[in-house]
Amino acid sequence: MKAGIVGLPNVGKSTLFNCLSNAKAQSANFPFCTIEPNIGVVNVPDPRLQKLEELVNPERVMPATVEIVDIAGLVKGASKGEGLGNQFLANIRETDAILHVLRCFDNDNIVHVDGSVDPIRDKETIDMELQLKDLETAEKKLDKVKRAAKTGNKEAQKEEAILNKIKENLEAGVSVRALDFSEEDYEDYVKPSQFITDKPVMYVCNVDEGAATTGNAYVENVREAVKDENAEVLVLAVGTEADINELDDYEERQMFLADIGLDEPGSAKLIRSAYKLLNQQTYFTAGVKEVRAWTVTIGATAPQAAGVIHTDFEKGFIRAEVIAYDDYVQYGSEAKVKEAGKMRVEGKNYIVKDGDVMHFLFNV
Ligand SMILES: Nc1nc2c(ncn2[C@@H]2O[C@H](COP(=O)(O)OP(=O)(O)OP(=O)(O)O)[C@@H](O)[C@H]2O)c(=O)[nH]1
Ligand SMILES: [Mg+2]
């Protein structure tokens, strides 16, 4: 699962990537600095892991990770090949969620491809290009399905109706994610097309450091414009955080963060949000060798969770011993949790909960 950083050129996407990841992307004050996508595997900050570390005192600690991709900027006409054109659209299609970066800071020295700072216009530009690309996808599919629909094939007719609904909405500037479908229709006819505007999105408002905690008028405009989208709007002083991230010393970083009013980097919050946006959650394994956070899709069963560690664990799954994170912390050790009768034994239909501390029994 990966989240892609998307936006106009020169709005701070690569700078944001550098806040998140240690794989340094080139960032510079000119449009289309990024061409090939930068990929980073980013640790998901999770205070629960430190707590478990204190309790278990393991040899090592492994955090959960999420993959972030920094993608080339896109401009008006991109869907028709302008700028870097279609190439980047393929990069976006390969991601599972979109982090849409909007420039919300004034600075005459940083070029804006459309001449002025206006995050609402910028958002519309990006949305429109992605919608045009999806329109192309919908039309291609429609062409294919039309003939079969004419001959009376019921399924083809259903698909045609759904594709027409998508097409009409895209033409009216409505993204696929905003449309309602029955779960069955969605699974059968919408999801397989992998529409770009169907991917979950969150907005990252790039502000200057004075607005890191408060936001600014641009951010207010963004909030107002997306209020019906049910999408998170995150405020981040990307440039400043990238500078702070360059410092090697933890204390020093915390000091500079405190200066702009933060007790943790906005980028940490962003990673957690991206993780949620990807529909992921964490369960833990806690042993003396290793305390580790594992990533599972929300709704995953115990065997599927076991499969994240090893496919054999899933195939040979017998049962799982589960301790809720809060119980683990309250009683302080696995033994004490057991004594208190708070360790549960769960079977193959158990739906994993965020924060479960799990131990799997299996045979191979
Ligand atoms: N003042 C200020 N400058 C910023 C901020 N974020 C990024 N910049 C600068 O803006 C310029 C462009 O940043 P990049 O991160 O390379 O932009 P990008 O969106 O990746 O651009 P492309 O790869 O060309 O699409 C660089 O000179 C950054 O230093 C910010 O928050 N404040
Ligand atoms: Mg870039």
Side-chain angles (χ1 to χ4, degrees), residues 140-206:
K140 266 190 204 144
K141 288 225 150 185
L142 263 173
D143 276 347
K144 276 194 199 142
V145 84
K146 257 181 193 156
R147 193 172 307 148
K150 267 208 188 105
T151 64
N153 180 317
K154 284 271 176 302
E155 263 182 37
Q157 286 170 349
K158 189 153 197 200
E159 183 165 11
E160 186 184 30
I162 288 168
L163 286 168
N164 271 321
K165 171 173 163 175
I166 290 172
K167 175 172 179 266
E168 281 156 24
N169 275 283
L170 286 168
E171 281 165 348
V174 181
S175 293
V176 177
R177 74 174 77 82
L179 305 180
D180 286 324
F181 301 99
S182 74
E183 209 181 311
E184 211 186 317
D185 286 353
Y186 181 78
E187 288 296 322
D188 291 348
Y189 303 113
V190 184
K191 201 174 165 190
S193 296
Q194 292 185 288
F195 291 109
I196 299 174
T197 67
D198 193 28
K199 295 182 194 298
V201 68
M202 65 180 280
Y203 298 96
V204 183
C205 295
N206 183 7

Side-chain angles (χ1 to χ4, degrees), residues 59-74:
E59 283 170 28
R60 63 170 185 267
V61 178
M62 297 284 284
T65 59
V66 60
E67 214 175 306
I68 304 280
V69 193
D70 168 36
I71 299 170
L74 70 138

Side-chain angles (χ1 to χ4, degrees), residues 46-105:
D46 188 337
R48 294 175 300 185
L49 211 49
Q50 273 77 56
K51 190 72 207 173
L52 289 173
E53 181 180 11
E54 279 168 31
L55 295 173
V56 179
N57 198 19
E59 283 170 28
R60 63 170 185 267
V61 178
M62 297 284 284
T65 59
V66 60
E67 214 175 306
I68 304 280
V69 193
D70 168 36
I71 299 170
L74 70 138
V75 287
K76 205 171 289 161
S79 55
K80 299 280 172 280
E82 285 295 321
L84 296 172
N86 281 323
Q87 169 55 36
F88 83 92
L89 285 161
N91 298 144
I92 299 177
R93 195 185 295 286
E94 285 160 18
T95 67
D96 304 288
I98 293 175
L99 312 175
H100 187 155
V101 179
L102 294 166
R103 172 166 170 181
C104 293
F105 65 89

Side-chain angles (χ1 to χ4, degrees), residues 5-18 25-35 38 70-74 84 101 103-111 113 205-209 236-243:
I5 305 177
V6 174
L8 289 183
N10 223 34
V11 296
K13 299 182 301 299
S14 296
T15 312
L16 172 64
F17 178 84
N18 289 341
Q26 193 190 348
S27 105
N29 185 14
F30 57 83
F32 304 118
C33 170
T34 305
I35 297 174
N38 299 297
D70 168 36
I71 299 170
L74 70 138
L84 296 172
V101 179
R103 172 166 170 181
C104 293
F105 65 89
D106 291 309
N107 187 325
D108 292 340
N109 296 322
I110 309 285
V111 183
V113 284
C205 295
N206 183 7
V207 298
D208 47 36
E209 62 177 71
L236 212 100
V238 171
T240 309
E241 283 211 10
D243 290 343

Side-chain angles (χ1 to χ4, degrees), residues 121 191 201 213 240 311 338:
R121 176 203 56 204
K191 201 174 165 190
V201 68
T213 55
T240 309
T311 46
K338 269 187 192 162

Side-chain angles (χ1 to χ4, degrees), residues 333-358:
S333 74
E334 195 178 303
K336 291 207 180 106
V337 172
K338 269 187 192 162
E339 255 175 57
K342 292 286 184 185
M343 192 175 83
R344 288 173 282 128
V345 174
E346 302 282 3
K348 62 182 180 357
N349 295 323
Y350 177 69
I351 306 291
V352 175
K353 292 193 188 63
D354 190 49
D356 278 350
V357 181
M358 303 188 79

